[in-house]
Amino acid sequence: MRNKKHPWFRSRGYLHFDSPVSFKTAQKLVNSPKRVAAHPFYPLIHYNIKSFKVKLNDNGEIEQKWKTREIKYAAHLDSHIYAYYSWLLSGLYEKEIQTRSLNNNVLAFRSLGKNNIDFANDAFEIIKMRGRCSVLGLDITGFFDNLDHLVLKKVWAELLGVPLLSEDHFSVFKSLTKYAYVDRQLLFKELGISANNPKNNRYRACTAEEFREKIRGAGLIQQNQQNRGIPQGSPISALLSNIYMLNFDTKMKNALEEQGGYYFRYCDDMLFITKPTLRDYVETLAIDEIKKLKLDINTKKTEKRDFYRYGGQLRCKDRKSLQYLGFTFDGERKLIRSAALAKFSNRMKAGVRLARKTVKRTNSELVKSGNPPTEQLRKKKLYERYSHLGRRNFLKYGYRAAKVMQSNSIKKQLKPMWSRLQKEIDR
């Protein structure tokens, strides 16, 4: 839990190379630049999350592709250092945001009291207000994995207003750029830790001696040898990605405002609303400025949409809708992406099937042991996960989006989900 008096401190209960520590212990460390400068950072623990991504191809057909997301998380003391320095830098960054009038342009990883529903709706409403306009959507290739270390160090120092990073800041920088990591699966195997119950009365994965002998000694530690990339998921990584883009955000915001346009960035997802005659110029400018940061644009994800009025209605040229932050807009209707609905529907069906198999297996074991089959499908839990009756799930999110966007079209998209769930349960 996060400490209200000390917003940088958050207790973490996961298993790592060191034990969880108290606020006082963490505070002693982070309040001493000398100790931070000399602090030996443990390797991160690394694992992959695999999920399938659903999208529509050029023929309007649904395609499923597996997507792997890498997760790397820091040891307890290391996380407190990252969180504290993130807190320090965040105050300076927010001041810079206000000075440069970027508050409404940089959307991700900030406390704005809004979410992607609001951000998408704001953009769609601007398009409606503008009427005839062009919208350009650009996406940065492998954002966190490609942040250049020299560029990051330079903008970090600029934010602090110093020519070079002090020893403590440089220690934090170095731990995030030349980071070491250990594969979790190999780690658990080496230490005999159960993947299903890793803690099992443990407070840390191993002692310092075991770390030297079994982890370092077994050659399990890998290191980032490239001059780019930071681990996504550390308490400071998201903020550093925003700091990295600060000059780019300023350049593009000013360029768009000079021509009466709008610029928004949500992490690596950028949106430009401009005049049709200036769309290509904006694209060229954005690509040139991104190259200065030693990053590239993923051209496969580039979107170009032209809106115009016809018969008093706003339409999108070639009947192609704009996709932005999980929603689509064709000039009239605001919708949830159909691929997202298909993904939820598949997940719901798989969840119900798994629940049925569990009931069948449990009853089979009861019969074998001479007991009557009493286990029944737990519908309440299924409703909580896959219907509007739940407190936090995709459908609840969808109906909230329908309310914010005042979209009956979204409600129509979501309405069949209840009958699909009932049908799946009744099979």
Side-chain angles (χ1 to χ4, degrees):
M1 292 178 64
R2 198 173 294 277
N3 191 315
K4 291 182 180 180
K5 291 184 179 179
H6 309 281
W8 59 270
F9 182 81
R10 175 185 169 194
S11 59
R12 297 170 172 87
Y14 54 68
L15 196 69
H16 217 290
F17 295 122
D18 62 349
S19 302
V21 297
S22 67
F23 167 71
K24 286 185 178 180
T25 300
Q27 187 183 42
K28 268 187 182 178
L29 173 61
V30 301
N31 282 348
S32 171
K34 285 186 178 181
R35 288 186 63 186
V36 172
H39 179 74
F41 287 84
Y42 270 114
L44 306 165
I45 293 180
H46 164 266
Y47 68 98
N48 293 324
I49 293 178
K50 287 188 176 181
S51 60
F52 68 87
K53 187 176 181 181
V54 183
K55 63 180 239 179
L56 291 177
N57 61 24
D58 294 335
N59 298 321
E61 300 168 334
I62 293 176
E63 289 183 349
Q64 292 186 10
K65 291 185 179 180
W66 283 100
K67 182 180 179 182
T68 300
R69 183 185 172 203
E70 293 192 3
I71 303 295
K72 295 182 177 75
Y73 56 103
H76 295 283
L77 269 177
D78 301 350
S79 289
H80 293 313
I81 292 174
Y82 293 145
Y84 179 76
Y85 277 76
S86 176
W87 176 67
L88 290 179
L89 293 173
S90 180
L92 296 173
Y93 175 74
E94 286 299 324
K95 286 181 181 177
E96 200 63 30
I97 282 286
Q98 302 303 325
T99 300
R100 302 187 188 205
S101 301
L102 288 168
N103 194 56
N104 297 321
N105 306 94
V106 182
L107 309 178
F109 314 131
R110 298 178 59 221
S111 300
L112 297 174
K114 291 184 174 183
N115 56 32
N116 62 322
I117 297 173
D118 302 296
F119 299 139
N121 190 55
D122 289 346
F124 298 157
E125 287 297 313
I126 288 172
I127 294 169
K128 285 172 66 176
M129 176 189 70
R130 290 289 298 265
R132 185 172 180 269
C133 64
S134 284
V135 182
L136 174 69
L138 299 178
D139 189 274
I140 301 172
T141 302
F143 191 33
F144 286 87
D145 293 335
N146 287 307
L147 297 183
D148 183 84
H149 295 166
L150 290 179
V151 174
L152 178 59
K153 185 164 66 170
K154 181 175 180 290
V155 297
W156 193 326
E158 286 176 352
L159 184 65
L160 291 170
V162 296
L164 295 172
L165 293 178
S166 59
E167 290 185 2
D168 57 320
H169 278 269
F170 182 71
S171 176
V172 177
F173 164 80
K174 191 167 60 173
S175 73
L176 290 161
T177 52
K178 296 301 179 185
Y179 61 87
Y181 61 97
V182 175
D183 182 82
R184 188 174 69 175
Q185 189 174 348
L186 296 177
L187 170 70
F188 284 3
K189 183 178 179 182
E190 181 67 30
L191 297 175
I193 296 174
S194 168
N196 296 323
N197 185 21
K199 294 186 76 172
N200 193 24
N201 296 323
R202 289 175 178 259
Y203 293 100
R204 60 189 297 181
C206 58
T207 64
E209 185 179 353
E210 287 174 325
F211 175 80
R212 289 191 295 270
E213 293 178 359
K214 295 186 176 182
I215 308 306
R216 192 183 300 281
L220 297 185
I221 300 176
Q222 301 180 62
Q223 190 165 20
N224 180 31
Q225 301 289 350
Q226 298 180 319
N227 60 1
R228 64 180 185 274
I230 62 173
Q232 185 175 356
S234 83
I236 197 173
S237 295
L239 174 65
L240 291 180
S241 72
N242 271 346
I243 294 172
Y244 192 95
M245 297 293 291
L246 190 53
N247 291 330
F248 176 89
D249 292 332
T250 305
K251 178 80 175 183
M252 298 312 301
K253 176 254 185 188
N254 290 339
L256 268 292
E257 283 191 355
E258 284 175 5
Q259 54 177 260
Y262 295 83
Y263 162 68
F264 304 105
R265 182 176 64 80
Y266 190 97
C267 190
D268 57 356
D269 194 340
M270 297 173 286
L271 193 76
F272 307 86
I273 303 173
T274 184
K275 298 175 183 176
T277 54
L278 295 174
R279 189 189 68 188
D280 293 342
Y281 161 75
V282 169
E283 182 179 16
T284 301
L285 177 63
I287 292 173
D288 289 344
E289 292 298 319
I290 279 291
K291 285 180 179 177
K292 291 179 183 178
L293 295 177
K294 299 185 180 180
L295 296 171
D296 294 307
I297 295 297
N298 185 347
T299 54
K300 292 181 180 179
K301 292 186 177 181
T302 296
E303 283 204 50
K304 299 177 183 179
R305 299 289 182 263
D306 294 318
F307 289 88
Y308 64 98
R309 292 201 184 277
Y310 181 81
Q313 292 183 326
L314 186 63
R315 297 185 180 183
C316 193
K317 191 176 179 181
D318 299 326
R319 296 183 179 179
K320 287 186 176 181
S321 298
L322 170 69
Q323 294 192 38
Y324 185 52
L325 301 182
F327 298 91
T328 66
F329 180 59
D330 63 4
E332 291 184 32
R333 297 183 305 164
K334 302 169 186 175
L335 297 168
I336 296 172
R337 288 179 61 230
S338 54
L341 290 167
K343 183 177 179 179
F344 170 75
S345 183
N346 288 339
R347 191 166 69 242
M348 176 264 290
K349 290 177 182 178
V352 175
R353 288 168 190 164
L354 178 61
R356 283 204 306 268
K357 285 182 181 179
T358 302
V359 169
K360 187 176 180 181
R361 184 172 63 248
T362 302
N363 282 332
S364 178
E365 291 173 356
L366 286 170
V367 170
K368 284 180 182 179
S369 60
N371 296 307
T374 56
E375 184 68 15
Q376 295 182 347
L377 195 65
R378 299 180 182 181
K379 294 183 180 181
K380 184 178 179 181
K381 184 171 286 188
L382 292 174
Y383 289 150
E384 287 176 355
R385 289 182 180 178
Y386 305 115
S387 83
H388 62 281
L389 300 176
R391 294 182 64 186
R392 294 182 66 182
N393 58 36
F394 178 80
L395 281 185
K396 206 72 174 179
Y397 168 84
Y399 280 110
R400 189 163 66 249
K403 183 178 180 180
V404 171
M405 295 185 170
Q406 298 181 347
S407 172
N408 288 325
S409 298
I410 291 179
K411 291 181 181 178
K412 290 179 181 178
Q413 283 182 295
L414 300 175
K415 190 175 181 180
M417 294 299 172
W418 174 258
S419 58
R420 289 181 194 175
L421 175 60
Q422 293 296 332
K423 185 178 179 182
E424 199 63 40
I425 288 175
D426 294 338
R427 278 188 179 180

